[in-house]
Amino acid sequence: MRVLEIKGTIRKETGKNNTRKLRKEGNVPCVLYGGESNVHFTAPENNFKDLVYTHHVHSVNLDLDGNKYNAIIREIQFHPVTDQIQHIDFIQVFDDVPTTVEIPIELTGSSIGLKNGGKLRQRKRSLKVKGLIKNMPDTLEIDMTDIDIGQYIKISDLSYDNLEILAPGRVMVAGIVSSRVAARSFIEAEEEAAAAAAAKAEAEGVIEGKEEKEAKEGKEEKEGKEEKEGKEGKEGKEQKAAEPAHHGEKGHGGDARHSEGGPKKEH
C-alpha cells in the first residue's frame, strides 16, 4: 500500500467558532481515532489533495507536532456546494493489529468473452478486506483471461494472501455477457427510467389537479357566499323601504274607521 506523510498541528481549541476560523484560513479540522485517546488536529487543505482526490488507497504517516502516528482515512466530509474538504476522520493502525480497508478492484487480462464479442459487466468496484496493514495491496487484481460469455467471477472465486474478504461468497464481482443481453439491459434501464419519470409526472399532475380543483371549489363557494349575502342585503333594504309606507296606510285606515264609527249627526 502506498504511504503519504502529512504534517499537522494539534488543536488546542475545539468548537464551532474555532472550526469555522480554521476553514477560513484554508485548514482542515481532523480527528484521529483508535489510540489511547482521540487526537484533534488540523493541517492545510493542500496537504490532502494527493490523499483525497485519487482512486488509490494510502496509509498515512501523521506528524503532529513531532508525534508520529500511522493511520488510514475512515471518513471525509465535503461541502455540499463547493466540494471543499470540511472534515476528515482518521483511524490509527498498528503493525500487529488487523484492520479493515476498502481496496479498489483492478481487472486484468484479455477476456475470451470479450474477444468473442461479449461485453464486460462489473458489479463491484472495490472490496472490503481485513488484514495487517503491511499486507494491504494498492489494488485487488482479478484475472479475466479465461472468462467467456455468460461466465462470472464471484467472491468465492477470489483469494488473496493474508487477507479476508468481508463479503458473501455468492456476490458477483464481474463477468462477460452477450451483446444482446447488454443491449437488453440498456433498454430495460431506459424503460425503467422512463417509467419512473412518467410516474413522477403523473403524481405531480394528480397533486396539481387536486390543488386546482380545491382552488376552483373554494372560488365557487366564495362567489356563492357573496351572492347570497348580496341578495339578502338587497331584500333587507327593500323590506326596510317598504315599512314606512305600510305604517302610513295603517294610520289612514284607522282614521277612516274612526270617522265611520263616530256618532251620527241627527237630522
Side-chain angles (χ1 to χ4, degrees):
M1 179 179 287
R2 303 183 183 192
V3 180
L4 285 178
E5 183 172 341
I6 291 179
K7 291 185 178 182
T9 303
I10 295 177
R11 294 175 63 179
K12 297 179 181 178
E13 297 180 21
T14 57
K16 292 183 178 180
N17 292 334
N18 183 258
T19 299
R20 292 193 191 99
K21 181 181 178 182
L22 289 173
R23 288 173 181 152
K24 286 182 179 180
E25 294 172 349
N27 296 310
V28 178
C30 307
V31 181
L32 175 64
Y33 297 94
E36 294 180 358
S37 61
N38 299 335
V39 180
H40 296 259
F41 69 97
T42 182
E45 185 177 4
N46 290 335
N47 291 7
F48 297 104
K49 289 187 176 179
D50 292 337
L51 179 64
V52 174
Y53 302 107
T54 177
H55 66 279
H56 296 293
V57 178
H58 298 81
S59 64
V60 183
N61 288 335
L62 293 173
D63 183 348
L64 307 178
D65 294 335
N67 299 308
K68 307 281 185 167
Y69 304 92
N70 192 17
I72 56 173
I73 288 180
R74 187 171 78 174
E75 184 181 6
I76 306 174
Q77 295 177 8
F78 296 93
H79 190 281
V81 178
T82 64
D83 279 340
Q84 180 185 16
I85 302 172
Q86 297 288 285
H87 184 88
I88 301 179
D89 286 337
F90 290 87
I91 185 78
Q92 188 173 355
V93 295
F94 303 91
D95 293 337
D96 57 346
V97 179
T99 188
T100 300
V101 181
E102 189 162 355
I103 306 292
I105 292 171
E106 182 180 357
L107 301 180
T108 62
S110 182
S111 168
I112 296 173
L114 289 177
K115 292 178 181 179
N116 292 333
K119 300 292 183 182
L120 173 67
R121 176 175 290 178
Q122 187 171 352
R123 297 283 183 86
K124 303 289 287 184
R125 302 286 175 179
S126 62
L127 293 174
K128 284 186 178 181
V129 297
K130 185 177 182 179
L132 298 178
I133 194 68
K134 65 180 181 180
N135 296 326
M136 293 292 176
D138 292 334
T139 60
L140 298 173
E141 293 187 0
I142 299 177
D143 186 7
M144 299 290 291
T145 302
D146 297 328
I147 306 302
D148 205 346
I149 294 174
Q151 296 180 336
Y152 279 88
I153 291 179
K154 299 179 181 180
I155 295 294
S156 57
D157 300 320
L158 302 176
S159 177
Y160 300 96
D161 293 340
N162 303 311
L163 295 177
E164 177 188 357
I165 301 174
L166 304 180
R170 66 180 181 277
V171 173
M172 293 184 179
V173 179
I176 305 298
V177 298
S178 67
S179 299
R180 183 172 64 256
V181 172
R184 185 165 63 246
S185 298
F186 179 75
I187 293 172
E188 289 174 354
E190 283 192 330
E191 290 176 348
E192 289 177 0
K200 183 179 179 182
E202 183 179 355
E204 290 176 351
V206 169
I207 293 173
E208 290 177 358
K210 185 178 179 181
E211 291 176 348
E212 185 177 349
K213 182 179 178 182
E214 290 176 350
K216 185 177 180 181
E217 290 176 351
K219 184 178 180 182
E220 290 176 351
E221 184 180 352
K222 183 179 179 182
E223 290 177 350
K225 186 177 180 181
E226 291 176 350
E227 184 178 353
K228 183 179 179 181
E229 290 175 351
K231 186 176 180 181
E232 290 177 352
K234 184 178 180 182
E235 289 176 352
K237 288 181 180 179
E238 290 176 352
Q239 184 177 0
K240 188 175 180 181
E243 284 177 357
H246 180 67
H247 287 310
E249 289 175 1
K250 185 176 179 181
H252 180 70
D255 292 344
R257 286 194 299 271
H258 180 73
S259 175
E260 292 176 357
K264 293 183 180 179
K265 188 177 180 182
E266 296 180 357
H267 295 282

